[in-house]
Amino acid sequence: VVVGVDGSPATALAVDWAVARARMTGAPLRLVSAYLADNIIAPVPGARTGGPGRLRPTGGQVVALHHLDAAVRRIRTAAPTADVETAAVAGPARAVLLHEAQRAQVIVVGSRRLGAAHRLFSPSTGAASTARAACPVVVVREAATRSLPEARVVVGVDGPASRSALRFAFEEADRWGTGLTAVYAWRLNAADLGSLVRPGVTHETVPAAARALVADLVHPVAADHPEVDVRIDVVEGHAVDELVSLSANARLVVVGSRGLGSLWALLLGSVSREVIRQAHCPVAVVHPQSAVEPTPTRRPEVVYD
């Protein structure tokens, strides 16, 4: 379970969520903090020229290591025996985290305007726009509610492209021992109805057609998770409004992608972007068969375990 660490208050929420997720799966935690590569490693004063010498972190590295230390202290308070490693890595946060996705069950980031989530989900200048994260990305802007009963996993469904999101949502619901609500929000126009647009579809027939579509997608996955209580919620309206409303009593909201081929499009589609911005619980963005951005090529890269 990889956590993007940048020292923001949102990082603490991301760390807490990741610790709970790691406990559920038995996976180790890996804390990663990116820093600008312009801040190079400098030799320790007095080190012999030409000898093995010693290196000390400077500039951005020092800040990154400070953030990592603070995150580790937080984890040790809640989970003293947790398996934790840390890495301070030179490069843009977006590229670093996407590279980390190659070895992760899930990437977890906090959300604030200039935090790890913002950088990961932004089409930064010069960044490759065709890469896609190789694992689900969970954005923690608010902690899940603890005050209301039956906090469920909520997943947005908009057609076959939602299969990966459904599988992830069922796995999470199974792990947490909670129910799952699959949501399909529709409006009677070609842009929103997608696969439902066909001759004979009217305002009166859409709900039944939508429910049949969702059931066809949900039932095969549900068969692998018989303990999960499943509800199908078909509503007329905008997907963002319904997902945000349900997030007030959700453990996690899961959104998929339409497979548009661009990281920016996948992670910053209108629904994903607005749900991340407005949701009252963590949000997972899941997309199928993703490639990964190349490893950042600027050096140095320093890992402190």
Side-chain angles (χ1 to χ4, degrees):
V1 177
V2 174
V3 189
V5 174
D6 66 2
S8 69
T11 290
L13 293 176
V15 166
D16 292 346
W17 193 93
V19 168
R21 178 57 152 68
R23 281 174 170 167
M24 288 287 184
T25 63
L29 286 162
R30 178 171 168 84
L31 309 181
V32 178
S33 187
Y35 64 92
L36 294 178
D38 292 338
N39 296 291
I40 63 171
I41 301 174
V44 174
R48 292 180 301 167
T49 302
R54 292 178 295 154
L55 297 177
R56 67 177 181 186
T58 63
Q61 290 175 278
V62 172
V63 175
L65 292 170
H66 173 76
H67 294 332
L68 291 169
D69 287 343
V72 170
R73 289 195 298 272
R74 185 178 184 88
I75 291 172
R76 293 299 180 212
T77 299
T81 62
D83 183 358
V84 183
E85 66 178 48
T86 63
V89 184
R94 178 175 177 269
V96 168
L97 289 176
L98 288 173
H99 176 61
E100 289 289 331
Q102 288 179 309
R103 58 180 291 186
Q105 286 183 354
V106 64
I107 295 282
V108 187
V109 292
S111 176
R112 67 185 181 104
R113 187 174 181 276
L114 296 177
H118 172 78
R119 293 193 294 271
L120 177 62
F121 295 136
S122 294
S124 55
T125 302
S129 63
T130 58
R132 288 174 283 177
C135 69
V137 179
V138 176
V139 183
V140 187
R141 180 172 175 268
E142 293 188 19
T145 179
R146 299 179 183 274
S147 59
L148 298 174
E150 199 188 7
R152 302 172 69 84
V153 171
V154 175
V155 56
V157 179
D158 65 356
S162 302
R163 288 192 177 98
S164 293
L166 275 168
R167 286 194 295 270
F168 181 78
F170 268 98
E171 289 167 2
E172 293 302 297
D174 218 345
R175 287 191 182 101
W176 294 102
T178 189
L180 178 143
T181 300
V183 179
Y184 189 106
W186 62 274
R187 291 179 294 178
L188 196 55
N189 62 68
D192 293 316
L193 286 175
S195 60
L196 290 179
V197 176
R198 59 175 65 93
V201 172
T202 66
H203 191 280
E204 289 71 28
T205 62
V206 165
R211 184 169 291 276
L213 171 69
V214 176
D216 286 346
L217 293 170
V218 167
H219 289 165
V221 188
D224 294 329
H225 302 275
E227 301 301 317
V228 176
D229 172 60
V230 182
R231 299 176 187 171
I232 294 176
D233 186 8
V234 174
V235 297
E236 182 178 7
H238 198 284
V240 170
D241 296 336
E242 186 67 11
L243 291 171
V244 170
S245 175
L246 290 173
S247 75
N249 191 27
R251 182 176 292 277
L252 180 70
V253 170
V254 182
V255 291
S257 76
R258 296 177 184 271
L260 299 180
S262 161
L263 177 71
W264 179 74
L266 284 166
L267 298 186
L268 275 184
S270 60
V271 172
S272 299
R273 180 181 63 246
E274 289 304 311
V275 171
I276 289 169
R277 187 176 71 85
Q278 299 180 43
H280 305 292
C281 70
V283 177
V285 179
V286 185
H287 35 89
Q289 298 180 351
S290 300
V292 180
E293 248 179 43
T295 306
T297 56
R298 298 185 69 185
R299 290 293 185 263
E301 176 177 317
V302 182
V303 178
Y304 294 83
D305 291 330

